[in-house]
Amino acid sequence: MKYRLLLILIVFFGSQTKAQNIEFENFDLRQSIPDWLIFNTEQIKLDKPLIVTEKLNPFYLESDFNGDNILDIALCVREKETKKNGILIIHGKTLETFIIGAGNKFAHVGDDFKFLEIWKVYRERTVAITTFTEDGDILGAEEVPIEIDAISVSSSESPSNIIAWKIDKYVWLHTGD
């Protein structure tokens, strides 16, 4: 009986310690997010501690990023332990989370979005992506259709790139040289 109780406690508390809640850099940020997210923050569990920051203005973007006709949110975040910057996308219908950067490698961009200074919702239905030769030289640009809103990201002195939903994940669409 003791062993069963011990096993139950280990399983219960072990599973509880792995999931992290969303933290906010300050109280005003938490109060500024949309109500649908405020009421669900306790239900959203992350595999690592992230802090919502005000590094970017605005500090969040809201749109339907995955095409299910329900608003999603993208938050400017920093990984608590390593201080690496990134984006946390939360799907409004399922509360499924996607960490881009903030310690998670994303495409060829890496795991720290410290370069990110400008972001906005990209509502155009095509994007000109850069094409490359096999040697890595720039070949030109190709117009690619995108059916739903995406996220445009850049630093102040570089062209913007696009983070877009494709089937079941987010992808990087390279638009600059």
Side-chain angles (χ1 to χ4, degrees):
M1 183 67 178
K2 286 182 184 179
Y3 294 111
R4 280 189 190 166
L5 180 59
L6 181 61
L7 181 61
I8 290 169
L9 289 173
I10 289 171
V11 169
F12 177 76
F13 287 110
S15 66
Q16 297 298 314
T17 58
K18 289 182 182 177
Q20 306 290 325
N21 288 327
I22 299 173
E23 293 183 40
F24 292 83
E25 198 169 55
N26 63 55
F27 184 74
D28 292 341
L29 290 180
R30 186 181 192 291
Q31 295 306 109
S32 298
I33 60 175
D35 285 344
W36 71 263
L37 185 58
I38 288 176
F39 297 131
N40 289 302
T41 54
E42 295 302 315
Q43 296 175 23
I44 298 167
K45 302 298 182 195
L46 304 170
D47 60 354
K48 65 168 78 179
L50 296 176
I51 299 171
V52 176
T53 71
E54 54 188 338
K55 177 183 186 281
L56 297 175
N57 184 15
F59 74 94
Y60 76 87
L61 302 174
E62 189 177 31
S63 190
D64 178 15
F65 296 121
N66 66 341
D68 65 359
N69 296 315
I70 304 289
L71 286 176
D72 308 312
I73 195 163
L75 297 158
C76 177
V77 295
R78 180 179 65 241
E79 186 180 21
K80 192 172 184 177
E81 188 176 308
T82 65
K83 310 280 191 259
K84 292 181 178 181
N85 298 295
I87 299 169
L88 171 64
I89 300 173
I90 303 169
H91 289 172
K93 184 175 184 178
T94 63
L95 302 180
E96 186 176 11
T97 60
F98 297 84
I99 302 170
I100 297 171
N104 287 9
K105 188 172 180 340
F106 183 69
H108 67 282
V109 187
D111 68 349
D112 189 357
F113 276 45
K114 61 185 171 193
F115 69 88
L116 185 55
E117 296 174 330
I118 302 164
W119 72 336
K120 60 185 175 182
V121 176
Y122 185 83
R123 292 186 169 87
E124 302 297 321
R125 292 299 170 238
T126 60
V127 63
I129 62 169
T130 306
T131 57
F132 299 92
T133 65
E134 288 183 20
D135 297 335
D137 294 328
I138 294 175
L139 189 60
E142 175 186 349
E143 287 286 322
V144 174
I146 54 175
E147 297 176 8
I148 53 181
D149 291 353
I151 301 170
S152 171
V153 296
S154 67
S155 65
S156 60
E157 297 188 19
S158 68
S160 61
N161 291 283
I162 305 297
I163 298 171
W165 180 254
K166 186 173 182 180
I167 303 173
D168 63 349
K169 65 181 178 179
Y170 286 92
V171 296
W172 180 267
L173 302 176
H174 187 81
T175 63
D177 48 1

